[in-house]
Amino acid sequence: QGLIPLMYTGLINYRDGAPVKTIPAPSDEHLVWPEETAMQVADKQVPLPVDRRIELTMKKFTHTHHQHQTTLGNTLYKPVLVPTLYTALLMGDLAANSSVYGPQTNAYILKHLEVVEIVINNPELEDHTFHFHGHNVQVIETGPYGNSSTENREPVAHKVSGPWPMWRDTIQVHGFEFIRVRFRADNPGVWFLHCHLAWHEYNGVAVVFVEAPGVLQQRQSVPKEMVEMCKRQGIPTQ
């Protein structure tokens, strides 16, 4: 079943005093999971031509107080005081500078309509499920990354998509594997890319894409209702 089982079973009783039943222990060994690179889209969209490439390698480290954390790229993501969307909308031309979002926002500024290729490298044993906000992505390629022999694990196979890659908003990056995906930055906004395991996201396995902030400022503004909501919660807005 690996480090994290892919299937869980449970029992829910809706009536007090109902007899307690036993259920078999879950096992995902018999499940066959689809290979994204083996599937093709029906509308036959070809791979997007790449304008920019961002490579994100997962890195694990241990604090002096023995807390273990993992980064996606070189920065450990931490939530900011001022919501990143507000910064993107209110900072004018400075919104195109990633430093205005704070040192641990792990922010990448994307140009409007550029095609971005993201490569995620996982040199560790544990699998990670990554979710893209704001976009579906074309799954282009997967393959081995790192030294799986240190964990007595067979290297993952190298697989390349066919002529019409599958689109996904959630992808699985197995241990000792890389994955290559692409999307067009045609949705101005602030979009999160994070591990879908809640405790990994909480511990900083995430990045933020600030997409076309200049276009975003022309199309949107912060509603006053949102500003009031933040004030009631003690969240600064600038």
Side-chain angles (χ1 to χ4, degrees):
Q1 296 182 11
L3 293 178
I4 302 176
L6 298 175
M7 181 180 70
Y8 294 84
T9 57
L11 184 65
I12 301 175
N13 283 334
Y14 290 96
R15 180 168 56 87
D16 291 339
V20 177
K21 299 180 180 179
T22 59
I23 54 177
S27 172
D28 57 23
E29 295 180 354
H30 66 285
L31 299 177
V32 178
W33 299 95
E35 292 289 346
E36 309 291 4
T37 53
M39 296 187 287
Q40 305 284 285
V41 292
D43 57 4
K44 298 184 179 182
Q45 296 182 63
V46 299
L48 296 169
V50 177
D51 297 313
R52 179 184 179 187
R53 185 172 184 265
I54 298 174
E55 187 164 357
L56 301 169
T57 300
M58 303 187 67
K59 300 176 182 179
K60 185 175 291 185
F61 63 95
T62 304
H63 291 280
T64 54
H65 55 282
H66 305 296
Q67 180 185 5
H68 301 287
Q69 290 188 293
T70 302
T71 65
L72 183 57
N74 295 318
T75 303
L76 182 70
Y77 174 82
K78 290 290 184 183
V80 291
L81 295 177
V82 177
T84 305
L85 178 60
Y86 289 8
T87 303
L89 285 169
L90 299 175
M91 289 298 290
D93 292 342
L94 289 176
N97 186 337
S98 62
S99 63
V100 304
Y101 300 98
Q104 288 192 267
T105 307
N106 215 0
Y108 290 82
I109 312 299
L110 306 183
K111 296 178 181 179
H112 189 43
L113 298 180
E114 71 176 343
V115 174
V116 184
E117 179 174 87
I118 305 294
V119 179
I120 299 177
N121 301 317
N122 181 11
E124 305 291 341
L125 174 65
E126 192 169 10
D127 299 343
H128 293 269
T129 302
F130 284 97
H131 178 58
F132 286 80
H133 288 235
H135 288 281
N136 292 327
V137 298
Q138 286 182 315
V139 181
I140 302 297
E141 180 185 12
T142 63
Y145 185 86
N147 186 8
S148 60
S149 64
T150 59
E151 299 289 346
N152 296 318
R153 184 166 176 172
E154 290 295 324
V156 299
H158 180 231
K159 299 177 181 178
V160 180
S161 69
W164 312 304
M166 183 58 64
W167 290 84
R168 289 284 184 258
D169 66 5
T170 304
I171 56 175
Q172 182 87 347
V173 186
H174 299 286
F176 303 108
E177 182 182 57
F178 78 86
I179 190 166
R180 186 187 312 274
V181 300
R182 296 175 189 170
F183 67 94
R184 186 180 299 278
D186 56 3
N187 189 17
V190 174
W191 307 116
F192 211 31
L193 166 61
H194 62 96
C195 181
H196 230 299
L197 298 173
W199 62 94
H200 290 175
E201 177 189 337
Y202 176 79
N203 281 327
V205 187
V207 302
V208 173
F209 296 121
V210 181
E211 182 176 330
V215 178
L216 178 66
Q217 292 169 11
Q218 296 172 14
R219 296 181 179 180
Q220 296 184 34
S221 60
V222 181
K224 62 179 181 180
E225 294 84 0
M226 294 297 297
V227 175
E228 289 300 320
M229 183 182 299
C230 287
K231 288 181 179 179
R232 290 196 296 270
Q233 298 179 73
I235 300 173
T237 58
Q238 60 183 4

